[in-house]
């Protein structure tokens, strides 16, 4: 896609022990979208991922690397990457995984939709979207989690937990990233909710999500529990605020 109408675009790719995948994924991204730059945010991976990222950056001026001192959660890695990208003057900042589950060849769908949106999500659960190689139980849990998010938070997003997305710079500046506290996977739900509450335009486009074939998933029971706990707390707080607003109107 010709990204000139969007300005400068960078995809933030957080990594932790992705030595098997990083070169393969970044190579595909640079081939699919040559005008899109890349920022690898590595959390001191003990398997040498950071060194591989440095080698890629040395060979390609469109690839950049941000090294962090320790593994501190997905959300924290993205916040560091967003801060770097905004400081560097990019007009569009995106997210994608380093394990191949988000296909770089489908990034153009998100960028095209961003022409009339503030945030675009690559969705598994809108018509045309799909999941490949997930056990039925895991897909059911993911769909159920997104249904829980929609009901509790009152948002009309089918895949609020998705991590393949692109933001306009103005959207990130409007949602007060400095107040974001969610560090794990709930970070994705947090940011889309903030965008909607700020009156921004959020669109979903279908993607084919492919389960990783190399390396280990970073999802764990502890991460899922943290996400559920935070979403429940946000939802209850939102319902409380709705009641208070209704009572004020009735006075």
């Amino acid at each position: 896609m010709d990204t000139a109408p969007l300005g400068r675009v960078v995809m933030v790719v957080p990594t932790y022990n992705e030595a098997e995948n990083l070169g393969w994924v970044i190579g595909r991204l640079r081939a699919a979208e040559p005008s899109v730059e890349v920022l690898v945010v590595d959390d001191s991976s003990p398997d040498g991922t950071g060194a591989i990222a440095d080698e890629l950056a040395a060979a390609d001026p469109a690839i950049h690397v941000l090294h962090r001192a320790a593994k501190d959660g997905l959300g924290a890695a993205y916040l560091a990457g967003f801060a770097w990208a905004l400081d560097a003057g990019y007009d569009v900042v995106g997210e994608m995984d380093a394990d191949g589950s988000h296909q770089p060849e489908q990034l153009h769908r998100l960028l095209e939709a961003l022409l009339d949106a503030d945030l675009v999500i690559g969705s598994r659960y809108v018509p045309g979207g799909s999941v490949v190689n997930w056990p039925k139980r895991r897909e059911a849990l993911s769909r159920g989690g997104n249904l829980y998010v929609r009901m509790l938070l009152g948002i009309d997003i089918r895949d609020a937990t998705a991590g393949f997305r692109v933001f306009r710079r103005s959207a990130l500046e409007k949602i007060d990233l400095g107040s974001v506290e969610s560090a794990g996977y709930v970070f994705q739900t947090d940011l889309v909710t903030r965008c909607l509450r700020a009156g921004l335009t959020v669109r979903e486009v279908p993607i084919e999500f492919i389960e990783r074939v190399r390396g280990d998933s970073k999802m764990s029971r502890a991460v899922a529990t943290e996400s559920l706990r935070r979403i429940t707390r946000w939802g209850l707080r939102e319902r409380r605020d709705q009641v208070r607003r209704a009572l004020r109107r009735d006075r």
Side-chain angles (χ1 to χ4, degrees), residues 10-18 21-27 29-30 36-43 45 49-50 53 56 62-68 74 77-82 84-85 93-102 104 107 163-165 188 212:
V10 64
M11 294 300 293
V12 179
V13 183
T15 56
Y16 186 76
N17 286 351
E18 293 291 356
N21 292 311
L22 185 62
W24 169 62
V25 169
I26 299 302
L29 174 56
R30 295 289 295 129
V36 173
E37 298 186 40
V38 185
L39 172 65
V40 178
V41 182
D42 186 65
D43 280 2
S45 300
T49 299
L56 294 171
I63 299 174
H64 315 278
V65 186
L66 178 61
H67 294 281
R68 300 200 326 133
L74 182 71
Y78 271 129
L79 288 174
F82 289 172
W84 181 96
V93 184
E95 306 178 17
M96 65 178 292
D97 290 347
D99 61 8
S101 57
H102 299 144
L107 176 57
F164 195 15
R165 50 180 69 184
Q188 308 294 11
R212 68 160 65 232

Side-chain angles (χ1 to χ4, degrees), residues 133-154:
N133 293 334
W134 259 13
K136 290 189 179 300
R137 180 175 178 275
R138 184 171 179 185
E139 183 173 351
L141 285 171
S142 176
R143 287 182 179 273
N146 274 285
L147 175 60
Y148 184 72
V149 166
R150 290 199 301 278
M151 294 176 61
L152 197 61
L153 300 183

